[in-house]
Amino acid sequence: MGECLRKACPCLETLWQRIFSDKKASPGEGGVHGGSGGGGGGGGGFSSSGEVRQPSPSPAPTLERVPESGCIYTAIWPFESRHTDELSFQEGDLFSVISRSGDWWTARRIDKNGRVLDTGIVPSNYLARAESLEMQPWYFGTMNRFEAQSHLLGPGNDRGAFLIRHSEKDNVGYVLSVRSLNRVKHFKIHGDENIFYVEHNHQFSSLIDLVEHYSINTLTNTGTLGNPCKRKKPTTPDLNHFTVDEWELPKEEFTLEEELGTGYFADVYRGRWKNIINVAIKILKSDSELNHREFQREVQILKSLRHRHLIALFAVCTATTPYYIITELMEKGSLLSFLRSPEGQNQDIAALVDMGAQVADGMSYLEEKNSIHRDLAARNVLVGEDYICKVADFGLARVIKEPFYITEDKKIPYKWSAPEAISHGMFSNKSDVWSFGVLLYEITTHGGVPYPALSNQEVYEQVSRGYRMPAPAKCPDFLYKIMLKCWSAEPGDRPDFKSLKMQLDSSSYELD
C-alpha cells in the first residue's frame, strides 16, 4: 500500500518514509501490553546507572495501521450511509479495501499516515485507485458520446471544458470530448499502450502528456483545452448494500407519487425510498393467481440479471397485497413516448442508431444468459438521463434451456412477433431478434406504428407470404438492411444480438 499512497500523495513522501522506516519494538522496549520492570505504561523506575527515571506520559492507544501490501483507493464523490454497516465519507477520503463483493465493498477508511479511522461497507463506484487513470479529474471511464455531451453541456462547464472517456464501442478506444460553445466535438485518440495521439504529428507516451500538451497548444479547430468537465454524482446500483441479497422491504419505507403508466398486470408510479432515492414502483393490479405468477416470474428474472442496459431491480414488497416491485427510475420514460416527444423528434440519425445499439447490448447480455424477452418493443425500453436506454418489462421473459420455448399463451404482440412465435408459440433469442428489427423501425420513424393500417391477422398473413415493411423515410440504407436481416423467415438466418451491436456501432455516422 505504501507505493500506492506515495503515488497518490507525493507531498507526504518524507513523512511516509519516516512512519514506515520505524523498526518494530524489541522485547523489553515497552508497549501497550506492558514490558519488563515497572509494569506497563510509563511508570517510574531506575536507569542502569541507578538514577531515578521520571515517569513518562501514558502512551496513546495504538492505532491499527494498514499493512503495506494492497493498494489505496480514494473517494471521488461524498457518500451518506443508508445502513448501519455502511460508511459515510467525503470526497478525497482514502480507503484500503478488505474485500470486494459485487458493487459493495468492505473497506477501511484511513488517514494520510495509513492509520485506520473506521471500517464499513462502501459503494465501489464511488472509489478509484489512487494511482490510476481514474484518479485524473478529466478521465470519465466508459461512456458514450451522449453521456459526454450531457456532462459537458451541463452547468459549470465553459468553452474548452473537456474529458477523456473510453468509448462503449469495441473498436473505438479512448475519445477526447471537448466543449466548443454550445456543442461538443469528439476526437478519437489513436495509438496503443505506449503511444497516444489525436494528430499524427504530435504523439505522446501517456494520456496525461497528451492533455498537458493541448492545455497550452491548440487542437485543430478547437483551441486549447480548458478545465476538466464537472462530474455528475453517480447513482448506486442498489438502495443500500443490504438489499443486494435481501430484497424484501416494508411498504412503509416507500412514498407513492404520480402515476407514470399502466400495463397488462401492473401500474407504475414514481416514488421515493425513505425520502432519499427516487424509484419506480410497479404495483400489481390484483392478487389473482395469474398475476401472482407473472409477478413472481418477473422478480426472479430481474434478480438474476444485471447489466448497464437492463433495468435494475431494487426491492420487492410482498408482505401484504397489492405487491410492489421497486426498480430504478428512468426520468425520460418509455422509449416510445420519448421518440414521440419534441425532444425525441429532434434526435439525429446518429443518436437514433446509438439507442438501437444500447438495446442490442442489453439483449446481447440476455442472450448470453439464455434468457428471452418475448415482448421487445419501444414501449418496453426506458430512457434515463444522458439518453441511457435500458430494456425493461420482463413480464413475458423466460429463462430457457432449449433453443425454443413453446407456449400456448395468447398474450402475443402480433406486430412485433416472429412468424414462428405467432403460428406455433415458439419463442427464442432469434424471435427476439425479429422484434428488434421492428423496434429499429419504431426508432427510425420516431415512434411510428409498425404495419400501419393492417390488423393483427392481416400482419401475420402478409408476413407469412413474404411481405416486409418498406424502408422508413430518411432511414439509412445500412439500417434498413439490418432490419431485413432481422426479419429473415428462417430463425437461423437472423443475426445474434452481439453481431447486431457491433454492426450498429461500426455503422454510426459519427465517430461515437
Side-chain angles (χ1 to χ4, degrees):
M1 188 191 76
E3 182 61 29
C4 297
L5 191 52
R6 288 187 183 99
K7 293 179 181 179
C9 308
C11 59
L12 298 175
E13 176 68 20
T14 302
L15 180 59
W16 188 251
Q17 288 179 350
R18 179 172 63 81
I19 291 170
F20 281 98
S21 63
D22 292 343
K23 296 180 179 179
K24 293 182 179 180
S26 60
E29 288 187 60
V32 174
H33 299 293
S36 60
F46 294 90
S47 68
S48 58
S49 61
E51 296 176 359
V52 177
R53 185 169 59 206
Q54 296 298 320
S56 58
S58 297
T62 299
L63 293 175
E64 179 186 4
R65 182 176 290 138
V66 175
E68 289 196 63
S69 60
C71 201
I72 291 178
Y73 289 75
T74 189
I76 306 176
W77 295 275
F79 176 74
E80 188 69 29
S81 66
R82 307 160 189 173
H83 189 277
T84 54
D85 294 339
E86 296 172 2
L87 287 182
S88 296
F89 52 82
Q90 299 300 315
E91 178 181 350
D93 283 356
L94 299 175
F95 293 89
S96 173
V97 175
I98 299 171
S99 65
R100 297 167 176 82
S101 176
D103 298 308
W104 297 87
W105 295 353
T106 302
R108 300 181 180 99
R109 189 166 65 89
I110 60 178
D111 64 15
K112 293 179 180 179
N113 297 323
R115 292 187 174 89
V116 176
L117 303 176
D118 43 29
T119 302
I121 295 173
V122 297
S124 62
N125 62 344
Y126 278 57
L127 306 183
R129 281 277 292 271
E131 81 283 10
S132 67
L133 180 63
E134 284 79 3
M135 269 299 295
Q136 302 302 322
W138 39 259
Y139 183 69
F140 278 58
T142 301
M143 177 179 286
N144 66 35
R145 73 184 184 100
F146 303 101
E147 291 177 276
Q149 287 171 187
S150 177
H151 277 74
L152 286 163
L153 295 176
N157 293 309
D158 300 318
R159 183 173 183 172
F162 72 99
L163 60 85
I164 289 180
R165 58 193 171 86
H166 196 277
S167 173
E168 280 194 332
K169 300 179 181 179
D170 297 332
N171 60 338
V172 174
Y174 292 115
V175 177
L176 171 63
S177 299
V178 188
R179 176 167 180 165
S180 176
L181 293 178
N182 291 321
R183 65 185 299 260
V184 174
K185 296 180 180 179
H186 307 276
F187 301 89
K188 177 178 170 60
I189 298 176
H190 302 271
D192 52 32
E193 293 182 358
N194 301 311
I195 298 176
F196 301 90
Y197 63 92
V198 174
E199 301 165 309
H200 197 276
N201 57 328
H202 295 296
Q203 300 187 0
F204 309 94
S205 60
S206 71
L207 292 175
I208 295 175
D209 292 338
L210 184 150
V211 168
E212 289 180 349
H213 174 83
Y214 288 112
S215 294
I216 56 177
N217 297 283
T218 300
L219 179 63
T220 305
N221 300 322
T222 304
T224 58
L225 299 180
N227 294 319
C229 179
K230 301 291 185 183
R231 291 180 180 268
K232 293 182 180 179
K233 190 174 181 178
T235 57
T236 56
D238 307 278
L239 297 179
N240 61 39
H241 82 282
F242 182 74
T243 59
V244 174
D245 298 313
E246 296 295 332
W247 300 80
E248 183 70 36
L249 291 179
K251 288 181 183 176
E252 293 74 26
E253 294 186 358
F254 298 92
T255 303
L256 287 175
E257 297 178 356
E258 73 269 23
E259 182 176 301
L260 298 176
T262 184
Y264 178 79
F265 69 94
D267 297 322
V268 183
Y269 290 81
R270 173 190 291 270
R272 286 179 67 79
W273 176 70
K274 291 186 174 180
N275 288 321
I276 298 174
I277 299 177
N278 292 323
V279 295
I281 302 176
K282 180 176 286 190
I283 302 179
L284 197 64
K285 284 185 174 179
S286 73
D287 59 356
S288 70
E289 181 61 24
L290 172 64
N291 283 346
H292 183 268
R293 286 200 304 268
E294 295 282 0
F295 179 89
Q296 296 296 336
R297 187 177 295 127
E298 179 161 355
V299 168
Q300 290 301 321
I301 292 173
L302 281 172
K303 280 184 180 182
S304 64
L305 301 173
R306 287 235 170 172
H307 188 270
R308 172 175 167 79
H309 294 300
L310 296 182
I311 200 71
L313 172 66
F314 284 159
V316 296
C317 306
T318 60
T320 60
T321 58
Y323 293 168
Y324 288 6
I325 296 179
I326 314 297
T327 67
E328 61 182 315
L329 179 67
M330 303 294 281
E331 293 288 351
K332 295 184 185 294
S334 76
L335 178 58
L336 181 61
S337 61
F338 172 78
L339 290 167
R340 293 174 176 176
S341 71
E343 185 178 9
Q345 295 287 323
N346 289 330
Q347 301 300 310
D348 61 18
I349 190 63
L352 298 177
V353 170
D354 183 81
M355 290 178 178
Q358 292 185 59
V359 174
D361 192 27
M363 292 301 298
S364 177
Y365 173 82
L366 286 183
E367 195 171 57
E368 291 175 6
K369 297 297 183 180
N370 294 321
S371 184
I372 56 177
H373 190 287
R374 296 208 309 149
D375 195 15
L376 182 61
R379 63 183 174 272
N380 290 330
V381 174
L382 298 176
V383 184
E385 295 299 323
D386 305 325
Y387 305 111
I388 295 295
C389 295
K390 300 195 179 189
V391 180
D393 200 340
F394 290 85
L396 293 177
R398 299 290 185 274
V399 176
I400 55 173
K401 303 299 182 184
E402 303 297 332
F404 286 91
Y405 176 86
I406 301 177
T407 178
E408 298 179 357
D409 198 333
K410 301 304 181 183
K411 300 192 299 293
I412 294 176
Y414 271 68
K415 291 189 175 184
W416 285 263
S417 296
E420 72 275 8
I422 297 175
S423 61
H424 296 91
M426 297 176 65
F427 290 87
S428 67
N429 295 122
K430 293 304 178 75
S431 64
D432 279 346
V433 168
W434 178 288
S435 303
F436 180 73
V438 181
L439 183 144
L440 289 179
Y441 176 92
E442 294 182 276
I443 288 176
T444 53
T445 58
H446 293 275
V449 177
Y451 307 99
L454 293 182
S455 67
N456 286 341
Q457 187 60 33
E458 289 169 335
V459 168
Y460 173 65
E461 292 172 357
Q462 293 285 349
V463 167
S464 298
R465 296 190 188 106
Y467 172 77
R468 299 296 183 265
M469 284 187 287
K474 300 181 180 179
C475 176
D477 185 56
F478 82 85
L479 197 56
Y480 185 58
K481 287 180 178 178
I482 291 176
M483 291 183 204
L484 290 177
K485 196 66 177 174
C486 291
W487 298 332
S488 297
E490 292 297 322
D493 293 335
R494 300 168 200 160
D496 58 27
F497 280 107
K498 183 177 181 179
S499 64
L500 284 168
K501 178 185 182 297
M502 294 175 63
Q503 290 177 59
L504 291 169
D505 280 347
S506 61
S507 302
S508 295
Y509 273 27
E510 298 183 27
L511 158 71
D512 192 48

